[in-house]
Amino acid sequence: MSQKSDRELVDAARKGDAEAFGVLVRRHQKRIYRLAAHLLRDGAEAEDVTQDTFVRAYGALDRFDGRSEPFTWMYRIAVNLSLNAIRSRKTGRKATTPDDPRIEGLLADQKSVEADPARLAADRQAAHALAEGIDQLSETLRTTLILVGIDGLSHAEAAQVLGCPEGTVAWRVHEARKKLRVHLEQAGYPDESGKS
Amino acid sequence: MSEQDRKERLPGPFEDLLKDWPVAPRDDAFWDESAEKVAERLATAQLDPALLAAPLPPAAGEPGFESKADEPPPRSLADLARSLAAEDSKPESSDWIKASLSLSQSARASAPMIADEARASAAELVAPPAPAPAAAEASVHPLPARPAPARSGAGPLLMAGIGLLGLAAAAVIVVRAQQKATPGPVAAAPSATPAEAVAPAASAPGESVVSINDLAPTAGGASPAARPGGEKLALKGGGPEPKAAEAPTAPEAKPEALPEPVAKVDEKKDDEAAKQMKPAATAGELPDKPSTGAVQAAIGSVMGSARACVAGHDEASRATLTFGSDGRVQSVAVSGKAAGTPAEACIKAALGKARVQPFARPSFSVGTTIRP
């Protein structure tokens, strides 16, 4: 079962094979969670969105037309759920928080390979600068950058998730990187290429 | 790495950090539990179709993006003033805003008729059109799209500036109307008797019928002084009247939808106006005939009521007004669709309330079109 492709698993799930859908969940839940954590900047909300994404996707299996990959189709649901959660927050969340899963994860990763406290402090500072730069982007630029720059989707895949042309994805990524470079330069991390 | 990629790279370690950015690690038990929770909820799985829609709005500056949200719907000056009046509670600024609104309303009341007449008789115009009707139209037409007014202290100042400009224009128009209506001492022979002074060169005693369409539009046509009471301001003589600034706040003619004439003229005020006109008449400074602007203004002030009389008609009617030398309407002749119908009396009653300044000729007639 675990060797089947996503499309085969979706077909099986459509026919009522819940186990096939369980395989899909286990295969993609980490990616979906990572995406949601970057979008939401909140671990608990990311967990909820991740589970909700699969539940909603299961309820809409009949609507999956096969024109895109199942995971990009589920990504779209995850992005929509995440944006809905952000918009329904009563207050905006501009600053990074100590329990920001992005910072938490980065520091945990660094601790495993680096024991120098000074280096850890510098890494923490850099992670905050990068996170703040991403958070200052517009919702559109930030989401696109997370999909392409962090999650590693190709422009074509991101275009399927976002429902826009590939050229638009490329433009957004370019703009987001440009703004991010300006932010990092202002935060004391000069652009080594000398061009901003 | 291509030049483009090199340019887009983030400085220092950030490019690698971005690509391999981990999130807080979770152990296998966490993921097993999460997958089980999903499995438990599958029985109640439902989907909001909106979740399958494209998630993001376009970014500003994106290829093919047209910023509609930044462009408010076209708004007229009056709309802008109303919104500012509603937002701004400062009395000093609200006064200016109200004055601007009144100015706009007065222009709207008189401008349509003048604009219609000007269009209908474009070929008959005997003089190049003055900018006044166009200016009046500009004051009532929606503004071109522009950024939404910012909620700042500049808004009231802007409106105050617009109001000042409008009032200054009104003052200039009043002064010009006075200059036209009362020839200066240089124009009249100082030694001449009053009768000689007012005797027209042609000395044609009969009445002359002139279509209002043949009258060259002047700045006075659409000015505040051209409204009811405007003639009074124009004929008092002397320097610009401070009252001219208050003219726009006078009550307006009612909307045209009413079947009966509604523009009521206060007879007492007319009498007073006539009394005030008398000194000018006895001073030998009467014009040969009423000025174009005064005639347009007089008719414009009652045209709304006249139009209400022909509401529902499918074609225009014509009326010829005959003013006596005292400035009052002596008679109104109606022709066209309204003739012989109850609308005729209605039109006569409405147009009969028009007033111009006294003039030298025994009478002066002017024709006008009443469009439904």
Side-chain angles (χ1 to χ4, degrees):
Chain A
M1 180 73 76
S2 62
Q3 300 303 314
K4 288 185 176 177
S5 69
D6 285 354
R7 289 182 182 272
E8 289 171 332
L9 291 171
V10 166
D11 288 340
R14 274 179 172 168
K15 293 170 184 170
D17 186 347
E19 189 183 348
F21 192 77
V23 173
L24 267 181
V25 172
R26 289 174 188 276
R27 185 178 288 178
H28 293 293
Q29 63 182 352
K30 291 179 185 175
R31 288 187 74 178
I32 298 282
Y33 172 80
R34 186 166 180 262
L35 170 68
H38 277 285
L39 288 172
L40 292 160
R41 294 168 279 167
D42 185 291
E45 281 187 328
E47 289 172 24
D48 291 343
V49 163
T50 302
Q51 292 177 19
D52 211 18
T53 296
F54 291 111
V55 174
R56 304 292 187 113
Y58 187 78
L61 279 176
D62 289 340
R63 296 180 182 229
F64 178 66
D65 56 12
R67 283 183 296 179
S68 60
E69 288 298 317
F71 90 90
T72 58
W73 180 69
M74 288 187 287
Y75 259 45
R76 176 178 283 200
I77 296 174
V79 169
N80 274 318
L81 286 170
S82 298
L83 296 178
N84 288 347
I86 291 169
R87 290 164 188 160
S88 65
R89 286 173 181 162
K90 288 183 180 175
T91 56
R93 191 175 303 179
K94 292 291 181 189
T96 56
T97 55
D99 57 347
D100 187 329
R102 301 171 299 171
I103 308 298
E104 188 188 341
L106 195 68
L107 295 178
D109 193 54
Q110 291 289 319
K111 277 176 188 169
S112 63
V113 295
E114 187 69 56
D116 182 4
R119 178 65 184 273
L120 280 176
D123 287 345
R124 177 189 291 268
Q125 196 175 357
H128 272 285
L130 183 58
E132 284 171 2
I134 293 172
D135 293 348
Q136 286 178 7
L137 298 172
S138 70
E139 187 178 73
T140 298
L141 295 185
R142 193 171 76 89
T143 304
T144 309
L145 181 69
I146 288 171
L147 285 170
V148 175
I150 296 177
D151 203 71
L153 296 191
S154 67
H155 288 181
E157 290 169 335
Q160 283 186 350
V161 172
L162 300 176
C164 65
E166 284 185 48
T168 300
V169 171
W171 182 88
R172 290 177 185 171
V173 171
H174 172 78
E175 283 295 304
R177 283 178 172 275
K178 191 166 73 176
K179 291 176 187 292
L180 207 49
R181 280 199 305 276
V182 171
H183 171 81
L184 291 172
E185 194 166 354
Q186 289 172 347
Y189 300 94
D191 189 352
E192 290 166 339
S193 69
K195 295 172 184 177
S196 58
Chain B
M1 181 187 299
S2 69
E3 178 66 16
Q4 180 67 23
D5 289 343
R6 195 183 68 77
K7 278 183 184 176
E8 294 214 343
R9 273 188 70 84
L10 297 176
F14 292 107
E15 189 64 41
D16 295 333
L17 187 57
L18 195 66
K19 283 180 182 169
D20 302 317
W21 197 333
V23 292
R26 301 286 188 266
D27 56 22
D28 290 342
F30 170 84
W31 296 118
D32 288 342
E33 186 184 347
S34 179
E36 286 170 11
K37 283 181 182 174
V38 171
E40 289 170 7
R41 293 174 58 192
L42 290 184
T44 59
Q46 287 181 337
L47 180 87
D48 178 1
L51 292 176
L52 296 177
L56 294 170
E62 188 171 292
F65 171 69
E66 291 178 9
S67 177
K68 297 290 185 191
D70 293 341
E71 297 174 6
R75 300 173 75 190
S76 66
L77 279 177
D79 292 338
L80 187 60
R82 279 188 203 99
S83 64
L84 282 171
E87 291 169 9
D88 198 330
S89 58
K90 292 179 186 173
E92 64 272 22
S93 54
S94 65
D95 288 345
W96 285 111
I97 292 167
K98 284 173 185 170
S100 300
L101 266 175
S102 299
L103 189 63
S104 170
Q105 287 168 350
S106 64
R108 185 179 288 124
S110 57
M113 181 278 295
I114 295 165
D116 288 348
E117 297 293 346
R119 276 191 287 271
S121 62
E124 302 173 27
L125 287 176
V126 294
E137 283 191 317
S139 70
V140 297
H141 282 195
L143 291 172
R146 60 185 187 80
R151 283 172 172 266
S152 68
L157 286 176
L158 176 66
M159 288 312 304
I162 294 171
L164 273 174
L165 280 174
L167 294 174
V172 169
I173 290 163
V174 168
V175 170
R176 285 187 180 176
Q178 284 177 330
Q179 288 170 347
K180 283 186 179 179
T182 58
V186 177
S191 59
T193 63
E196 288 170 335
V198 299
S203 65
E207 69 176 38
S208 57
V209 178
V210 179
S211 167
I212 194 171
N213 298 341
D214 296 333
L215 298 173
T218 66
S223 73
R227 296 171 56 255
E231 337 42 344
K232 193 196 309 186
L233 287 170
L235 290 167
K236 274 187 178 177
E241 275 281 338
K243 288 283 182 187
E246 296 171 12
T249 62
E252 297 299 322
K254 298 292 181 186
E256 300 174 8
L258 297 173
E260 293 297 323
V262 290
K264 304 203 173 184
V265 177
D266 189 333
E267 293 299 333
K268 282 187 178 178
K269 280 187 181 174
D270 283 349
D271 292 342
E272 287 171 11
K275 284 176 187 174
Q276 287 168 341
M277 292 169 187
K278 291 280 184 184
T282 54
E285 294 176 352
L286 279 179
D288 175 43
K289 59 180 183 178
S291 71
T292 303
V295 172
Q296 287 179 333
I299 296 177
S301 67
V302 296
M303 183 54 77
S305 305
R307 280 183 171 167
C309 301
V310 295
H313 288 197
D314 52 2
E315 57 188 72
S317 297
R318 299 257 328 154
T320 302
L321 288 79
T322 301
F323 291 96
S325 57
D326 62 352
R328 293 173 182 270
V329 174
Q330 286 182 339
S331 64
V332 178
V334 178
S335 60
K337 177 87 172 178
T341 70
E344 181 176 353
C346 177
I347 291 170
K348 285 182 175 178
L351 298 182
K353 291 170 180 168
R355 296 286 183 276
V356 296
Q357 74 273 35
F359 49 91
R361 291 186 190 182
S363 63
F364 177 81
S365 294
V366 62
T368 188
T369 303
I370 307 152
R371 292 187 172 81

